[in-house]
Amino acid sequence: TQSTRPQRLLGAVQKNATRGHPRSVIQAIDHFCRNKEWAMNVGDEKGCILDSVVSEVSPATVLELGTYCGYSTVRIASRLPPHAKLITLEFNPEFAVIARQVIAWAGVEDKVQLVEGASGDWIPRMKEQFGVKTFDLVFLDHWKDRYLPDTKLMEECGLLRKGSILLADNVICPGTPDYLEYVRNSPRYESQYFKSHLEYTKVEDGLEKSVFLG
Ligand SMILES: Cc1ccc(Cc2cc(O)c(O)c(C(=O)NC/C=C/[C@H]3O[C@@H](n4cnc5c(N)ncnc54)[C@H](O)[C@@H]3O)c2)cc1
Ligand SMILES: [Mg+2]
C-alpha cells in the first residue's frame, strides 16, 4: 500500500539521522523537506528563532499545540533544562504514531509527553491530569483558527502566569488574523513579531512572541 508523507519523513530520519542525536534528526527532516517533499514543520529558519526563545526562557513547563511529525517537539525538547517537561498535543493518531518514533529516535522521549487528543478537550484537564500549574512557554502550531480560542481557554483555566510566553507559528502564512489582533491589542499581552519565511520557501511568514502580563 502507498506510504504517507509522514511515513516517508520518518524513513528519512531512520536512514540519515543518528539515534540519540536530536540535531541530526532536525537536519535529516530539513534535508528531506528541502530536497524531497515539503512538509509543514516550523523549519530551520523559523526554528532558529524558536531555539533562541526556548534558550532565553529556559522553561520548566512547555505546551506544544500540534505535534505533527515531532520536528519542533525535538527542537524544543533538545534545548530544555534538566527536569523540564514538554507536553505536546496531537489529535491525528497517524501523525502521533510517526511523532512518537521521531521523538524516540532523537532520544528526547523522557522530556516529552505526547498526548493524543484535541487541545479543546485537554487544555481544561492539564492541571488534574498532568499536575501542571502553569506553562512557562506555549508553542502554537496547530489549526490556525484554534490559536485564539485555545489561548482564551488557557487564560480561563489559569494555565498562564505573569510572564508566560506564547510563541505562535504562521501568523502571516497561512495567517492567524484574529489571534494576532487579540494579542497585539489586548492590554494583557506584550507582543513582538519575528519576521521570517514559510518553511523551505521564500514566502514571508513569521513568529509572534507574546508575554502574558497577568
Ligand atoms: C494556504 C497555505 C496552506 C498551507 C501552508 C503551509 C503551512 C505551514 C505551517 O507551518 C503550518 O503549521 C500549516 C498548518 O496548517 N498547520 C496546521 C497543523 C496541524 C497539526 O496539528 C494537529 N492539530 C490541529 N488542530 C489540533 C487540535 N485542536 N488539537 C490537537 N492537534 C491538532 C493536526 O493533526 C496536525 O498535526 C500550514 C501555507 C499556506
Ligand atoms: Mg506551522
Side-chain angles (χ1 to χ4, degrees), residues 40-42 46 140-141 144 147 169-170 199:
M40 59 184 178
N41 316 121
V42 73
K46 288 185 288 180
L140 299 94
D141 194 19
K144 308 315 161 192
Y147 284 26
D169 190 26
N170 310 116
E199 51 268 25

Short mmCIF file of all heavy atoms in Angstrom, two decimals, residues 40-42 46 140-141 144 147 169-170 199, ligand 2:
data_model
loop_
_atom_site.label_atom_id
_atom_site.label_comp_id
_atom_site.label_asym_id
_atom_site.label_seq_id
_atom_site.Cartn_x
_atom_site.Cartn_y
_atom_site.Cartn_z
N MET A 40 4.95 20.55 6.68
CA MET A 40 4.66 21.76 7.45
C MET A 40 5.34 21.78 8.83
O MET A 40 4.71 22.01 9.86
CB MET A 40 3.15 21.95 7.61
CG MET A 40 2.43 20.82 8.29
SD MET A 40 0.65 21.13 8.29
CE MET A 40 0.08 19.63 9.08
N ASN A 41 6.67 21.52 8.81
CA ASN A 41 7.45 21.68 10.05
C ASN A 41 7.79 23.16 10.17
O ASN A 41 7.87 23.85 9.17
CB ASN A 41 8.75 20.88 9.95
CG ASN A 41 8.56 19.50 9.38
OD1 ASN A 41 9.13 19.13 8.38
ND2 ASN A 41 7.71 18.72 10.03
N VAL A 42 8.08 23.61 11.39
CA VAL A 42 8.43 25.03 11.54
C VAL A 42 9.68 25.36 10.71
O VAL A 42 9.89 26.49 10.28
CB VAL A 42 8.57 25.41 13.04
CG1 VAL A 42 9.85 24.82 13.64
CG2 VAL A 42 8.53 26.91 13.24
N LYS A 46 12.79 29.56 10.81
CA LYS A 46 11.96 29.93 11.98
C LYS A 46 12.39 29.11 13.20
O LYS A 46 12.32 29.57 14.34
CB LYS A 46 10.47 29.68 11.68
CG LYS A 46 9.88 30.69 10.70
CD LYS A 46 8.36 30.48 10.54
CE LYS A 46 8.07 29.22 9.76
NZ LYS A 46 6.59 28.99 9.58
N LEU A 140 2.37 27.48 19.64
CA LEU A 140 1.13 27.25 18.90
C LEU A 140 1.46 26.99 17.43
O LEU A 140 2.08 27.83 16.76
CB LEU A 140 0.20 28.46 19.01
CG LEU A 140 -0.27 28.84 20.41
CD1 LEU A 140 0.66 29.90 21.00
CD2 LEU A 140 -1.70 29.37 20.41
N ASP A 141 1.07 25.78 16.95
CA ASP A 141 1.38 25.42 15.56
C ASP A 141 0.34 24.45 15.03
O ASP A 141 0.63 23.62 14.17
CB ASP A 141 2.78 24.83 15.48
CG ASP A 141 3.29 24.76 14.05
OD1 ASP A 141 2.74 25.48 13.20
OD2 ASP A 141 4.23 23.97 13.78
N LYS A 144 -4.95 26.93 12.43
CA LYS A 144 -4.75 28.36 12.70
C LYS A 144 -5.98 29.03 13.32
O LYS A 144 -5.85 29.99 14.03
CB LYS A 144 -4.32 29.07 11.41
CG LYS A 144 -3.12 28.41 10.73
CD LYS A 144 -2.00 28.04 11.70
CE LYS A 144 -1.06 27.01 11.12
NZ LYS A 144 -0.13 26.44 12.15
N TYR A 147 -5.93 28.98 17.33
CA TYR A 147 -4.99 29.71 18.19
C TYR A 147 -5.73 30.60 19.19
O TYR A 147 -5.44 30.58 20.39
CB TYR A 147 -4.07 30.62 17.34
CG TYR A 147 -2.94 29.98 16.57
CD1 TYR A 147 -2.97 28.67 16.15
CD2 TYR A 147 -1.83 30.75 16.24
CE1 TYR A 147 -1.92 28.12 15.42
CE2 TYR A 147 -0.76 30.22 15.51
CZ TYR A 147 -0.82 28.90 15.10
OH TYR A 147 0.22 28.36 14.38
N ASP A 169 3.41 30.10 15.50
CA ASP A 169 3.92 29.94 14.14
C ASP A 169 2.87 30.42 13.14
O ASP A 169 1.68 30.46 13.46
CB ASP A 169 4.26 28.46 13.87
CG ASP A 169 5.01 28.27 12.55
OD1 ASP A 169 5.69 29.22 12.11
OD2 ASP A 169 4.93 27.17 11.97
N ASN A 170 3.30 30.80 11.95
CA ASN A 170 2.41 31.04 10.80
C ASN A 170 1.47 32.23 10.95
O ASN A 170 0.35 32.21 10.44
CB ASN A 170 1.55 29.80 10.49
CG ASN A 170 2.36 28.56 10.38
OD1 ASN A 170 2.20 27.64 11.17
ND2 ASN A 170 3.27 28.51 9.42
N GLU A 199 8.46 27.91 6.01
CA GLU A 199 9.48 26.86 5.96
C GLU A 199 9.80 26.42 4.53
O GLU A 199 8.91 26.20 3.73
CB GLU A 199 9.07 25.65 6.81
CG GLU A 199 7.70 25.10 6.56
CD GLU A 199 6.64 25.71 7.47
OE1 GLU A 199 6.84 26.84 7.96
OE2 GLU A 199 5.63 25.06 7.70
MG MG B 2 3.46 25.86 11.33
#
